[in-house]
Amino acid sequence: MNISKYLGFALVGACALTACNKGGRSATNPGKYSSTTGIEYNTEEGMKVSDYQGIPEGPGLVFIEGGRTVLGSAEEDVAMTHDNLERTVTLASFYMDEVEVANIHWLEYLHYVRKDSAEEFYMSALPDTTVWARELSFNDPYVDYYLRYPGFRYFPVVGVSWLQANDFCTWRTAKVNEVLAGEASESGGGSRKGGLFSRKKNKGGDAAEGTSDNGGVKIAIENGNTLPNYRLPTEAEWEYAAQALIGTQETGNENQENKRIYPWDGRQVRNPYGKGRGQFLANFKRGRGDYAGIAGSLNDGAMITEQVFSYPPNDYGLYNMAGNVNEWVQDIYRPLSYEDVEDLNPFRRNGYLDPSEKYDKKGYQSLIDDHVRVYKGGSWRDVAYWLSPGTRRFMAEDSATATIGFRCAMINAGSNK
């Protein structure tokens, strides 16, 4: 082999190792050749590296830029719980539903569950509409009509337990990714055409790995054309998103010099600006017996829940992060979570460091065990105190009321921000 030929091979090898691309390698530009072995991708011998242009857009989600914040109650601790003291934490960016899951979304869920699942599971997915029934109130119409009557389509679903909400998140993930995988297969693994909920059939291909045990599409994560799991937000994520302090931040100032009692500016619950001046910014109970104000001058205008797009959104673009319905979050409840959990993406998934054996539930001295979950946000039946993002309460994960709903969240995959 002469020296010129040897140099030629050397140059080709160097080009292969660096992929000869300008601007360096990245997730969206991995190069044509492996920088470890020099083997060409997407050949018979080489590994398949799918085209990736970033996480697909998930339906209903709003991007929440993470960062440092101070979590904890900014209100006077009138309940004397001392269970959410202020502390500094950092949260990674994530996505959250723009609105609470509404009746029409749950009815769609029931539609597909009835088609694809056993009757037993369908029955377990039905919300408990009897949560509206009260012995000394005439709420009977809500029992029969609230979930299914068309006029209530975009009212938040209630009567769902924490367990049911988790099942919904699992179904939503599978259904959305099934559609995405089918679209990617039809387009050869490339762009998504026809809209997120087009009715194209999945034809397999590189976007899917075959069929799962339950007959659904088995998604290949490596292809990057599907979404991470929809799930309930952690308590820290929910509280951070409700604060929406991004709206108070000055450009170039690394100090967070403002804080909010509610998910909006000011210390009051009424709108201080413009044409809506004087109107309430959330749906809540003003005082004993006052759910909506007087005829001709209604304050929040809602005796019970209100449509999910009612009232102004906060600075992240999220609606009803205070009032309307309380919302389930992932965490189990412990009064000492604020001092036990870590300060990066804090989350309490179990009783570690604070086991349930410490709480005498069997002796009726406590309500705490490993099956009680936190809910936050205040509701149409709560006074303004509970609208503050730092307040927290808990209930058994298999229980439901007319005042608790939920919304979904999702990680920001492929980013360290």
Side-chain angles (χ1 to χ4, degrees), residues 244-256:
L245 293 177
I246 192 170
T248 68
Q249 189 63 27
E250 296 180 10
T251 304
N253 184 359
E254 293 190 7
N255 293 320
Q256 185 56 263

Side-chain angles (χ1 to χ4, degrees), residues 101-149:
V101 173
N103 287 324
I104 191 171
H105 305 139
W106 198 270
L107 291 173
E108 182 186 18
Y109 169 51
L110 294 177
H111 166 77
Y112 285 106
V113 166
R114 187 153 221 174
K115 287 176 59 178
D116 303 333
S117 303
E119 185 69 14
E120 181 181 4
F121 183 76
Y122 171 78
M123 297 302 294
S124 72
L126 293 172
D128 181 7
T129 59
T130 64
V131 294
W132 291 105
R134 310 284 289 184
E135 291 293 336
L136 299 176
S137 294
F138 185 68
N139 292 338
D140 304 42
Y142 302 134
V143 175
D144 297 327
Y145 289 95
Y146 181 82
L147 174 64
R148 299 183 183 275
Y149 187 71

Side-chain angles (χ1 to χ4, degrees), residues 227-249:
L227 290 166
N229 293 338
Y230 285 88
R231 56 174 173 81
L232 292 177
T234 67
E235 181 179 5
E237 286 174 337
W238 193 98
E239 189 172 330
Y240 177 83
Q243 289 178 350
L245 293 177
I246 192 170
T248 68
Q249 189 63 27

Side-chain angles (χ1 to χ4, degrees), residues 63-67 90-95 231 237 240 344-346 410-412 415-417:
F63 179 70
I64 310 296
E65 183 181 5
T90 294
L91 285 95
S93 299
F94 58 99
Y95 295 88
R231 56 174 173 81
E237 286 174 337
Y240 177 83
L344 174 63
N345 299 321
M410 180 186 291
I411 65 168
N412 180 32
S415 172
N416 65 351
K417 295 181 179 178

Side-chain angles (χ1 to χ4, degrees), residues 1 12 15 40 51 54 76 122 141 176 178 190 207 215 238 252 308 341 351 364 370 414:
M1 180 182 293
V12 170
C15 184
E40 185 177 359
D51 180 46
E76 182 182 359
Y122 171 78
V176 171
E178 181 180 328
W238 193 98
V308 293
V341 296
Y364 303 102
D370 288 339

